[in-house]
Amino acid sequence: MTVTPGWYMALAAVLFVIGATGILVRRNALIMFMSIELMLNAVNLTFVAAGRQLGLIEGQLAVLFVVVVAAAEVTVGLAIIVAVFRRRATASVDELSGMKG
Amino acid sequence: MTETVVFAVFAIAAIAGGLVMVGARNPVYSAMGLLTTMFSMAVFYVLNDAHFVAAVQVIVYAGAVMTLFLFVIMLIGVDREDDRTERLPRQRPLALLLGLGLLALVLVAARAAWITGFGIFTGSPVNGTIENVADELFGTWMIPFQATVLLLTIAAVGTVALAQFGSRPPRVRSQNEGPQ
């Protein structure tokens, strides 16, 4: 048995769903952030596998761009979490109901 | 054959890491689970001839991003566990149900194209060396590359601005927003 692109895609789908479920289930803002990273990684895997299947190097370039955007996103997101923590002394998104009125 | 074995081992490691990340009570364990998944991803990239991307994965994700995560976890406090008291009843089972539904949907909807459609890898092999990646990146994709430079600058400036403006107003705590 050889590893077909389908196996990579299926694995990426499973990882993506784990990440999406983590966002739905967890309250901790940090772990929700890590779930987003997991979803981005799953998509990167599909890019690389599809690029190999199609014989294009653009799949790997897409991964590079996703990594750059993810790094920028993590920087800003963690800064927001730290800023919120300094005010509220919590990282739980349930506590952040200030705009509820 | 080698690829099959390596794929199986690291697929299990990646899924286990993801599950640990979602399920662990302590955020540090979550970070370790995500780290496992990131390294497994690097192995998959190597299996797919994406050598440079694998190196970037290890350096940027497993190195820089996870260090940043651990730094913030330590800053916020590792000894504090999540309170698992549920404010919205039925939300957690509903979320798990939605996750399973999403998985079923994705796998069923795309099964035809993935498992049976592609067959074995047929494309002409692309070797993702630094030279090949750079040729394409600094040739065809020069403008998007410059845009990412702009994006990183904006993110850095925004982070500094958040740190500055977040600390300026005096900390006034009203009664209902104290630490829980």
Side-chain angles (χ1 to χ4, degrees):
Chain A
M1 189 193 92
T2 59
V3 184
T4 63
W7 286 104
Y8 285 106
M9 299 288 179
L11 174 66
V14 170
L15 288 175
F16 188 91
V17 167
I18 290 174
T21 312
I23 288 184
L24 290 175
V25 168
R26 294 306 295 262
R27 291 297 118 68
N28 191 330
L30 276 168
I31 294 178
M32 293 171 80
F33 236 99
M34 289 189 221
S35 302
I36 294 176
E37 295 302 315
L38 184 62
M39 291 161 78
L40 287 172
N41 268 282
V43 173
N44 282 348
L45 185 59
T46 66
F47 272 131
V48 169
R52 179 178 168 198
Q53 165 69 22
L54 300 173
L56 295 172
I57 206 165
E58 271 83 359
Q60 300 176 21
L61 289 184
V63 173
L64 281 182
F65 284 120
V66 170
V67 167
V68 171
V69 173
E73 170 235 341
V74 162
T75 320
V76 176
L78 288 179
I80 291 175
I81 290 177
V82 170
V84 166
F85 182 79
R86 284 200 299 197
R87 282 254 167 142
R88 301 290 188 87
T90 180
S92 166
V93 291
D94 270 0
E95 307 286 333
L96 306 178
S97 54
M99 290 181 74
K100 206 162 59 182
Chain B
M1 186 59 204
T2 317
E3 189 184 356
T4 309
V5 173
V6 174
F7 176 83
V9 169
F10 281 95
I12 292 169
I15 291 175
L19 290 177
V20 165
M21 187 210 72
V22 172
R25 279 167 183 254
N26 192 329
V28 178
Y29 293 161
S30 291
M32 289 303 131
L34 187 56
L35 201 59
T36 311
T37 310
M38 302 266 186
F39 274 116
S40 309
M41 285 290 163
V43 172
F44 295 140
Y45 294 161
V46 171
L47 284 181
N48 283 301
D49 293 330
H51 304 290
F52 178 62
V53 173
V56 166
Q57 171 84 7
V58 171
I59 294 170
V60 174
Y61 258 129
V65 169
M66 290 317 294
T67 308
L68 200 59
F69 263 114
L70 281 171
F71 190 77
V72 172
I73 288 171
M74 298 298 173
L75 194 67
I76 284 182
V78 283
D79 46 347
R80 188 199 323 251
E81 299 217 327
D82 285 8
D83 63 329
R84 296 219 157 188
T85 52
E86 199 55 76
R87 315 243 164 127
L88 305 170
R90 290 198 301 276
Q91 192 200 352
R92 188 157 295 165
L94 199 61
L96 288 175
L97 200 68
L98 279 176
L100 284 178
L102 181 63
L103 180 65
L105 206 64
V106 170
L107 287 181
V108 166
R111 193 178 63 94
W114 291 350
I115 306 294
T116 62
F118 276 161
I120 58 173
F121 283 104
T122 52
S124 56
V126 192
N127 206 356
T129 58
I130 293 180
E131 192 177 358
N132 290 346
V133 171
D135 273 347
E136 198 68 23
L137 185 62
F138 297 127
T140 317
W141 300 92
M142 193 62 199
I143 300 296
F145 179 72
Q146 301 277 358
T148 61
V149 173
L150 191 64
L151 177 77
L152 278 176
T153 312
I154 292 172
V157 171
T159 308
V160 173
L162 270 175
Q164 286 287 315
F165 300 144
S167 63
R168 188 167 294 170
R171 293 191 189 181
V172 182
R173 275 216 187 100
S174 65
Q175 287 292 16
N176 54 355
E177 52 178 33
Q180 302 283 321

